[in-house]
Amino acid sequence: MTTLTTRTAAPTTQERATSKPRRHGARWAAVAFVAPLVIYLLLFYAYPLAQNLSMSLHRFDRGTFINGGAPFVGTEIYQDVVEHPRFWTIVRQTTVFTAASLVFQYLIGLALAVFFHRGGFRLAAPLRAMFLVPWLLPIIVSGTTWQWMMNPDDGILNSFIGLFGADPVWWLSADNALMSVAIANIWLGIPFNLVILYSGLQGIPKELYEAASMDGATPWQQFWRITLPMLRPVSLITLLLGLVYTLKVVDIIWIMTLGTGTSQTLATWAYGMSVGKGASAIIRYSEASAVGTILLLAALAFGLIYIAAQRKQED
Amino acid sequence: MARTWWKNPVAVVVTALMLFPLYWMLNVSFTRRESIRGGDLLPVDFTLDHYAVVLRDQLPYLGTSLVIGAGTVVLTLAIAAPASFALARMAVPGRRVLGFALIVAQMVPAVVMSLGLYSIYNTVGLLDTLPGLILADSTIAVPFAVLLLTAFMSGIPRELLQAAQIDGASHWRTFRSIVLPVSRNAIITSALFAFLWAWSDFIFASTLNREGGLLRPITMGIYNYIGAQNQEWGPMMATAVVASIPAAVLLVVAQKYVAAGVTAGAVKN
């Protein structure tokens, strides 16, 4: 211990003596340490993004993609995409999918977080950990399982509602697809909401509740007057992160329905055109890139609000 | 707070409902082909046949996924750890811009990345290769790892680093023999998520590695079943169970790191 204190006391004089050359050297060392990251970000983020943008401004098809020579067409492809007969339908579906996912994930996640946080039962910790499982699994695993559970003839969901005399539902048909993929996506998102909101609840001082209950506030009043207001910053961040994630999600939808029918969103539309499957049987790189860019701008817009919200929370 | 008798059973029922899909996947994977459509709540017509199919058909994909996961972890840490040290403890020119770029990077849709990378890989010959997929998968983890590690390394006591410098240790030596060992927990958390994300990746594998043959990850092994004319639910669910093992193992072995990672991305940095 003593050696440590003498050592920490020492630097002031020594630092002054070597300050100039060392600061210069430190600057170079810092640059060397971050250089791999900067080069990596340029090569594997900036370059693909630029490439994506360039592809949306040139008219590519399968041939020009391989041999080159795609003509520059300006914003023509963006016009094509926006004037596509299904464009506004797809925007609406994306909005419904995102809004429904967020609202239910948040409400269920919050209810569970409060339930587990109040505690008072032995199994709270292990069961809360179990809730993480759906979030950690590969989405293709969850997607295929939901697809089987929603099978119209032999799926467990239809057998279950059949017990109450309901008619079987064609979960994954064109009309119902949006609802079904939203259900699966809500299920996927609950763990994330639960964990974040739970950590938010842990940050609320216990004294507030003690004072409130001494003043005779019911648990219900405490929830509305203390929990919800105190949780506002964390709630905002949870919802914004969920929003960005839900806007761009492809796999859960694609695996269940190939993005067909009402489950077609901007992200699955772009993905489908980039692989030539699902709703678009032909590969359309340029259109896919244009839709991707629109999606990117939307995600960034909400992303900037998120960054602003986070900054505000730190102050 | 008073213990309430009804809370334990309610919590168990709610958790069981939440995890029911996973139980259903297990149930189907143990049920004989002829009886799967019967929908029994227990695998009454028990069989291990589907797992025999997995062993026969899916081992190469599982091996590929392990290699890709390990490669992604190594690459992610090699890039993220030194940079995080510099961002946390040294005067890096343009650090604010870099920090902003890292947050924005996490918001780029995977479709956009895969389209751009596809066109680049097409020219440089990285399509359908393992290095290509490892590089692509690392893009999911690198920004997260840098933000997590920077936050952690900022908390290392000053005295520890100064002591090393007085002893004449170079920046690299300080980083290697003090910063890295002290940051063990944050490094494990980053590695764990890098592995899980690479293991679970669907979009990059299905676009950048479409014709990779057996050098494709296990997610594509499952995807093969979806495209088939007559969907084989038994082997598919058995493969899904096997593909879930890493997540299950990590949750049991490294639960505190998992919970730390989930919140770190959102609230603390």
Side-chain angles (χ1 to χ4, degrees):
Chain A
M1 213 56 228
T2 39
T3 48
L4 193 73
T5 40
T6 47
R7 273 175 185 175
T8 48
T12 38
T13 42
Q14 208 177 346
E15 236 173 24
R16 205 168 298 152
T18 56
S19 119
K20 255 212 172 143
R22 174 167 272 190
R23 201 182 296 159
H24 204 70
R27 199 177 169 79
W28 280 111
V31 169
F33 272 93
V34 288
L37 175 67
V38 173
I39 295 169
Y40 175 87
L41 288 179
L42 290 175
L43 277 181
F44 289 94
Y45 266 100
Y47 187 23
L49 286 183
Q51 196 67 25
N52 180 81
L53 189 66
S54 152
M55 273 162 61
S56 70
L57 300 173
H58 294 80
R59 198 173 284 286
F60 276 100
D61 53 38
R62 195 76 185 133
T64 48
F65 188 82
I66 293 163
N67 305 316
F72 180 80
V73 292
T75 56
E76 221 173 73
I77 292 156
Y78 287 88
Q79 282 171 21
D80 292 354
V81 163
V82 175
E83 283 162 13
H84 189 282
R86 288 188 52 79
F87 179 78
W88 290 109
T89 314
I90 295 172
V91 169
R92 206 192 64 232
Q93 287 167 185
T94 310
T95 314
V96 173
F97 173 73
T98 310
S101 297
L102 284 182
V103 168
F104 286 101
Q105 280 170 8
Y106 177 77
L107 290 180
I108 299 173
L110 179 63
L112 288 166
V114 170
F115 179 68
F116 280 116
H117 185 66
R118 289 250 165 97
F121 58 105
R122 209 179 296 264
L123 294 172
L127 290 182
R128 194 164 49 84
M130 301 279 279
F131 262 85
L132 278 174
V133 177
W135 191 75
L136 294 173
L137 290 185
I139 288 184
I140 193 155
V141 167
S142 323
T144 47
T145 308
W146 275 100
Q147 197 193 15
W148 172 240
M149 296 198 333
M150 289 175 166
N151 185 294
D153 302 317
D154 312 295
I156 182 84
L157 285 189
N158 275 351
S159 320
F160 180 73
I161 60 171
L163 291 178
F164 304 96
D167 288 331
V169 176
W170 287 77
W171 296 97
L172 301 173
S173 71
D175 290 339
N176 294 331
L178 180 60
M179 169 183 70
S180 302
V181 294
I183 291 174
N185 192 53
I186 290 163
W187 179 80
L188 279 181
I190 290 173
F192 177 76
N193 282 261
L194 166 62
V195 172
I196 306 272
L197 293 170
Y198 185 87
S199 83
L201 289 176
Q202 285 179 312
I204 303 177
K206 283 217 159 40
E207 297 79 46
L208 287 179
Y209 292 104
E210 282 160 13
S213 59
M214 279 209 278
D215 290 345
T218 63
W220 190 243
Q221 284 172 323
Q222 293 179 18
F223 175 78
W224 285 102
R225 301 279 171 79
I226 301 174
T227 309
L228 269 191
M230 292 294 285
L231 213 53
R232 249 189 65 173
V234 177
S235 297
L236 184 63
I237 281 173
T238 313
L239 286 169
L240 283 169
L241 274 183
L243 176 59
V244 172
Y245 162 81
T246 311
L247 265 184
K248 62 184 192 173
V249 72
V250 170
D251 25 16
I252 185 68
I253 302 177
W254 189 264
I255 289 154
M256 289 175 69
T257 67
L258 293 179
T260 51
T262 49
S263 69
Q264 192 175 23
T265 60
L266 285 171
T268 53
W269 188 25
Y271 178 81
M273 287 192 291
S274 78
V275 292
K277 278 189 192 165
S280 157
I282 310 163
I283 292 186
R284 298 177 195 277
Y285 292 116
S286 298
E287 286 83 351
S289 304
V291 174
T293 309
I294 295 172
L295 195 61
L296 174 67
L297 291 177
L300 284 186
F302 292 112
L304 292 179
I305 302 178
Y306 159 76
I307 293 175
Q310 213 188 27
R311 289 263 157 84
K312 213 178 144 196
Q313 196 204 6
E314 274 165 15
D315 293 341
Chain B
M1 229 172 272
R3 288 188 180 266
T4 330
W5 67 269
W6 55 268
K7 278 193 169 174
N8 268 324
V10 168
V12 169
V13 170
V14 171
T15 314
L17 271 178
M18 182 74 183
L19 297 186
F20 181 79
L22 308 179
Y23 170 73
W24 204 237
M25 161 178 87
L26 271 171
N27 182 29
V28 171
S29 79
F30 286 121
T31 303
R32 263 174 14 110
R33 192 168 186 274
E34 292 77 11
S35 308
I36 286 179
R37 295 192 176 274
D40 284 313
L41 284 176
L42 291 168
V44 187
D45 203 358
F46 185 86
T47 180
L48 288 174
D49 288 356
H50 304 314
Y51 286 90
V53 175
V54 173
L55 279 181
R56 196 186 65 214
D57 297 345
Q58 304 288 346
L59 279 185
Y61 298 118
L62 285 167
T64 308
S65 273
L66 277 179
V67 173
I68 291 173
T72 307
V73 168
V74 171
L75 180 65
T76 302
L77 291 179
I79 292 171
S84 305
F85 172 53
L87 285 170
R89 313 303 305 225
M90 298 159 102
V92 177
R95 66 170 332 145
R96 283 186 71 89
V97 181
L98 201 53
F100 184 75
L102 287 167
I103 298 179
V104 168
Q106 289 176 303
M107 291 161 182
V108 179
V111 206
V112 173
M113 291 294 290
S114 77
L115 271 160
L117 287 173
Y118 186 84
S119 132
I120 295 167
Y121 281 12
N122 188 41
T123 23
V124 298
L126 275 174
L127 276 185
D128 307 325
T129 64
L130 284 189
L133 199 51
I134 290 172
L135 282 164
D137 281 345
S138 69
T139 62
I140 318 173
V142 166
F144 169 81
V146 175
L147 293 172
L148 182 79
L149 290 172
T150 306
F152 187 88
M153 289 174 182
S154 307
I156 297 177
R158 250 184 126 71
E159 293 77 21
L160 217 54
L161 302 181
Q162 279 175 343
Q165 279 195 336
I166 308 309
D167 286 350
S170 64
H171 289 288
W172 176 249
R173 221 197 126 83
T174 312
F175 169 67
R176 231 190 44 202
S177 11
I178 295 180
V179 175
L180 279 188
V182 169
S183 315
R184 192 173 143 263
N185 282 2
I187 289 174
I188 294 178
T189 306
S190 319
L192 199 146
F193 276 88
F195 183 86
L196 267 188
W197 287 331
W199 179 274
S200 311
D201 161 65
F202 168 80
I203 294 189
F204 289 140
S206 66
T207 48
L208 305 176
N209 202 0
R210 222 177 309 172
E211 272 124 55
L214 290 177
L215 285 183
R216 288 180 304 159
I218 187 66
T219 45
M220 293 298 99
I222 301 177
Y223 194 47
N224 284 345
Y225 286 113
I226 301 183
Q229 282 291 319
N230 194 2
Q231 217 151 333
E232 286 286 352
W233 290 101
M236 181 161 146
M237 289 293 118
T239 315
V241 171
V242 175
S244 312
I245 290 173
V249 169
L250 290 176
L251 191 68
V252 174
V253 179
Q255 195 198 319
K256 68 170 181 181
Y257 301 112
V258 173
V262 181
T263 42
V267 203
K268 279 178 197 149
N269 56 60

